[in-house]
Amino acid sequence: MAHLVPCLLLPEGTPTFSNSMGRYVTAPGELPVQLLHHDYDIFWVQSGEAEWKFRDGTFIRATKDQFMVLPPYVPVWVNEIQPPMTFWYCHFAFRPLPERLPPQRHPDFAGPGKQASVPMFFTRKDAPKVHRAYRDATELRFDPLREPWQLERAIITLIAELAKFALSLKAESPSAPSRFETEPLDARVAELRRIIDENPTRSWLVTELAATAGITPGHLHALCRRVLGKPIKRYLIEARLRHAMKLLKEKRNGELPSVYDVSEACGFSSQHFFSRQFKAYFNMTPLAFRNGSTLS
């Protein structure tokens, strides 16, 4: 395990139970398994040792009573390092703020937002209250007809404890040693990412984005390469691919959309170009993602 652990920012909004929650036990021939989701996933290893390997070759390993948080749109492969590997997984997302919300009520719905930078990997010793909340959620036994929302409430408690854990790290003395790392993001790049992600299908012009950031197009290209590690045009394509990922799973009139329809809706010049870019980014075709299922 590397000494420094990457962190991710929890978005603003109300945490909510998203896709699914369950317990996974490895079986011969099942691994490695690719994971790719449009929401967050928090794993709790109960036995053995699990490895999450990213596309760039980096990896995070976790053993008993250790936790891994996976952000949206990040393809990873999970493998068993030490059997028997058993872990829980829990998907969660964040609902946007209600419209016409009085300013004084914002803290009740928005949460810590950008202040909550949570490590992707931590242990039970690091965050005992996160462990307790996760354990309580997995031990729920109730009649959904007589006791509705019990699981939803438990998941909100779990993510609230995760946010509190993140805030507690920020409150630590700056001089105190920490194995958790938070990468500061240039404010101009952060704002460009926000407006692109909010409207990824728009025909953005580099000159327009540069003007928004108050810099020249040449400076924008250099800044994005330095901060994001990629050109701004590449980020625009990836934003559309992440949006396409959502559309591929959204049913209309009870049916999933065609790959062609999603390609058109996301502004790609052709279905072939879209499929090629999707596979290069997510390591699977749009059709395989639409029709298939991941670990959970």
Side-chain angles (χ1 to χ4, degrees), residues 12-17 93-98 109 152 156:
E12 291 186 343
T14 306
T16 180
F17 181 47
F94 293 85
R95 289 191 294 262
L97 293 179
F109 291 86
E152 178 85 4
I156 290 176

Side-chain angles (χ1 to χ4, degrees), residues 13-14 95-106 109-110:
T14 306
R95 289 191 294 262
L97 293 179
E99 295 183 3
R100 301 177 183 176
L101 184 67
Q104 63 269 25
R105 297 298 306 277
H106 276 215
F109 291 86

